[in-house]
Amino acid sequence: MSENLASWLIRFRVWVVGVVFLATFAMSFSAVNIDVKTVFQDLLPSDHEYVKTHNEFKDTFGGSNLVTIMVEVEDGDIFQPEVLGVVNNLTRELQKVSAVNPFQIISLASKKLKEVKASTEGIETKPLMWPEIPETDAELQELREKVLRNSLVYGPYVSEDLTSTLITVDFIDRLLDYETAFEEINGLVNNVSVPGVKVRVVGDPILYGWVNHYLPETLNLVLLAGLILVLMLFVLNRTWRGTILPIISGAVSAIWALGISNLMGIHFDPLVIVIAMLITARAVSHSVQIITRFNEEVEQIEDGSEEAGAAAHSTLSELLRPGMLGIATDACCVAVVALSPIPLLQKLALLAVVWVGTVAISSVLLTPVLLSWVKHPRGYAHPINVSWLMHRVLDLCHWVVVSRMRYVMLIWTAIVFLGCGYYALNLKVGDANPGSPILWQDSAYNLDSAAINEKFQGADRMFIVVGGDEENLAKKPEVLKSLQEFQRFIEVQPEVGGTLSVSDILPAVNRTLREGNPRFEELGSTQDINGELLYMFEAGAEPGDMDRYVDTARANASVTLFFRDRQGETIRTTIARIKEFVAEQNLDGAEYKLAGGLIGVIAAVNEVILSGQLQSIALALLVLVVLCTLVYRSSMAGMFFMVPVVLSNTVTFSFMAYMGIGMNINTVPVAALGIGLGVDYALYICDRIKQELRTGADDLTAIERALHSSGKGVMITAFVLIVSVLLVYQSSLKFQAEMGLLVALWLTVSAFTALFVMPAMAYIFKPAFIYGNRQDAV
């Protein structure tokens, strides 16, 4: 089949190249129009119970796109006219921000924060500071006293040291555009120019806004990495064909993939740029292998008009099997990610499969066809010659493999595998550090997040719903008492800065009605009494005032939990404690529903990853084994090629644990693609050993030729790609920098395994799929 396909492609090469480039030209129009954006809804596993709760109640109890703004002063407290003016101005201007829910803007300057007073004339509920800003010392002192005696404000919205205050704003999810919200809110914050006043802002719209903000920088790094790749290919290969053809392969692959994805309605998430670089790098890698083999073949053919065509035909027929097998393993392993219930991973898997699939055309088929027109060069494009260094390294590889050092190499590999495997058990699922893992710890966003978490109960929230289908269920004493007990139970966890529910409101109202007597700061003993207390608090309420606490029918109440970090361990501990408490509850007609808000949906994502990660890795390895077994018609081949994959994954996972990089929604695709990535280099070298043995070469000669041919291609591509990918480590996005580092490590381990470990294993164990029926002694 390989011979027939190679003959057909070379015979009709004009038509083949014409069709490919016409298709590339057509696809380019679609590729340039692909949407580059982050869609938060795609991050959510829609079938998970937490996400169902979130989607059902997010419009009532608050979504995952809450933005928190902290206004703090350097000297004194916030009770100064100019500071309160900043709070008032920001509160008013936030109503003009696109997609803002105007009923979910809460601050000292809004109508939402109220004081309830009782007197002989009745119950009075009025905003703390709306509509006028206090100016005189007496007015400012009165406001300070109102805040200090209001437990719903002092602590949650005004810091205990009185130097900071919060403004929170939620959005209408279906209308929200992260980039627009980021620009408009940042514009408001940057316009604050009061001396001694600092404004900090956090929230997912701001976080993903920073991702889009750094997109031009990311693109510049990608372009610079591409330029370095071109220069290094030129220096190492010393020929124009060795430089231009791999770039053509990568470009054609990228254009086809982006064009097809756009036609399929798949957008491009800025966070997956490293994955796009990695797949494009695979196109370059396959192309370099083919060019290296072509150079070798053309040297062995006598001069003539058909020397290039014959060399291209021979190259294609010999490398079609390892090339297509490498591409198939890449595609199938990353396709396993599509089994995840998370839409982002499903779309990303589809994009990656399409992209990897295009490599088969752009590299394995197109490169040898283009080479069929190339004549044997009579010189080199530049005088710099580093081939002697590559030969020395490859000679070292050969010496290690054929000497008794091969046993030392395998023992050392086993020790590394066991050590890294043990350390990899420390790998955390979810975010491994405080703050957002997408940005560096010293970024403006993470510094703002740390400052808010230090001053207040926490910037990130989760809500738990308690209720059912019966109206006024949230007024029942047993339900409200259960809420109180739950709050006391969960606040013991240090990472939970505080909680808030309707059970905090009613005792305060009851105390107010009893002339402030603290003995009466308790819930009502009956449903009717609780209903009256709630009615009194709502007497002067505006639309949306009670949305944080109960729904319209009073059938469901919420408990809001404030978190100081979103680390995976913090969230898992909280969920475990919540389930422990809920298991002991027996409420008539009411139940606890987990869990909404940002932390709730992160908990859902972490649980999906935790439950599915081992299965995904196992399934991807099974796919690898099956493909290798089918292609080489040997079950031993499948097991044999698991070695570089398992080793590279184990080393990388242990490195992630060492660096504090968690296994989250951003790193899962890289891990899946790494399974396919780990085997490509080994396939080329082992297949070349098999080919040499088939021609009658002895063991030592076969291994030497394989290393100096396919091994040379491995060295060139690995070195070039590692240096290029490491450039991404300069990114302002920590996630992309770390992924670049992981990809570089993966490439390093894969190349090392292919050059030293796999030939040594082949020489020691002499598997039949490589050696055939030969039974040579070691």
Side-chain angles (χ1 to χ4, degrees), residues 241-525:
R241 67 179 179 224
T243 304
I244 296 174
L245 293 185
I247 302 307
I248 291 177
S249 298
V252 170
S253 174
I255 292 171
W256 278 42
L258 294 176
I260 294 172
S261 298
N262 187 39
L263 293 175
M264 296 172 66
I266 301 175
H267 64 269
F268 189 84
D269 194 310
L271 292 175
V272 304
I273 285 180
V274 173
I275 295 177
M277 288 181 63
L278 178 57
I279 299 175
T280 302
R282 304 315 297 156
V284 172
S285 178
H286 287 290
S287 184
V288 169
Q289 281 286 350
I290 290 171
I291 293 170
T292 303
R293 182 61 175 270
F294 174 84
N295 292 338
E296 187 179 331
E297 294 290 337
V298 83
E299 288 282 356
Q300 300 175 9
I301 299 176
E302 296 181 0
D303 291 346
S305 59
E306 298 298 326
E307 64 175 24
H313 175 277
S314 177
T315 299
L316 179 55
S317 62
E318 294 293 344
L319 295 187
L320 185 64
R321 176 173 56 192
M324 288 300 187
L325 180 57
I327 291 170
T329 55
D330 284 342
C332 291
C333 289
V334 78
V336 171
V337 177
L339 299 177
S340 169
I342 301 175
L344 174 64
L345 296 183
Q346 294 171 349
K347 293 179 180 179
L348 178 57
L350 184 56
L351 170 63
V353 168
V354 171
W355 205 317
V356 171
T358 62
V359 175
I361 297 174
S362 68
S363 294
V364 179
L365 301 183
L366 181 61
T367 299
V369 171
L370 292 175
L371 284 170
S372 67
W373 277 296
V374 176
K375 299 297 182 182
H376 187 279
R378 303 308 175 195
Y380 294 100
H382 62 78
I384 302 174
N385 183 9
V386 295
S387 60
W388 63 271
L389 180 59
M390 287 189 286
H391 281 296
R392 293 286 180 86
V393 175
L394 294 171
D395 286 341
L396 173 63
C397 297
H398 180 250
W399 175 78
V400 169
V401 170
V402 300
S403 69
R404 294 196 175 276
M405 281 297 296
R406 62 183 180 274
Y407 298 107
V408 176
M409 178 59 63
L410 293 192
I411 294 172
W412 180 85
T413 301
I415 293 173
V416 169
F417 171 73
L418 293 175
C420 290
Y422 179 77
Y423 195 81
L425 297 176
N426 297 317
L427 179 64
K428 297 180 179 180
V429 173
D431 298 345
N433 298 293
S436 170
I438 293 177
L439 300 170
W440 294 101
Q441 289 300 307
D442 60 354
S443 66
Y445 182 91
N446 279 334
L447 291 177
D448 286 354
S449 178
I452 292 175
N453 288 327
E454 181 181 357
K455 292 280 188 178
F456 291 91
Q457 297 171 331
D460 296 319
R461 304 184 181 191
M462 170 196 290
F463 66 77
I464 308 298
V465 180
V466 185
D469 298 326
E470 178 187 339
E471 287 192 8
N472 297 316
L473 189 62
K475 298 177 184 178
K476 287 188 174 182
E478 58 268 27
V479 173
L480 293 171
K481 184 178 179 182
S482 179
L483 286 178
Q484 273 191 339
E485 292 174 352
F486 170 73
Q487 290 177 258
R488 292 167 185 162
F489 177 83
I490 203 66
E491 285 179 357
V492 174
Q493 184 177 340
E495 294 85 357
V496 177
T499 62
L500 184 64
S501 79
V502 68
S503 290
D504 295 313
I505 296 176
L506 301 187
V509 175
N510 200 11
R511 174 179 175 174
T512 301
L513 293 174
R514 302 302 193 278
E515 298 180 351
N517 190 332
R519 292 178 56 192
F520 293 95
E521 192 167 355
E522 59 185 7
L523 294 167
S525 58

Side-chain angles (χ1 to χ4, degrees), residues 530 726 735:
N530 288 321
L726 280 176
F735 159 74

Side-chain angles (χ1 to χ4, degrees), residues 16 48 135 139 166 271 403 425 504 569:
V16 171
H48 197 284
E135 297 287 347
E139 291 173 338
L166 294 184
L271 292 175
S403 69
L425 297 176
D504 295 313
E569 193 61 35

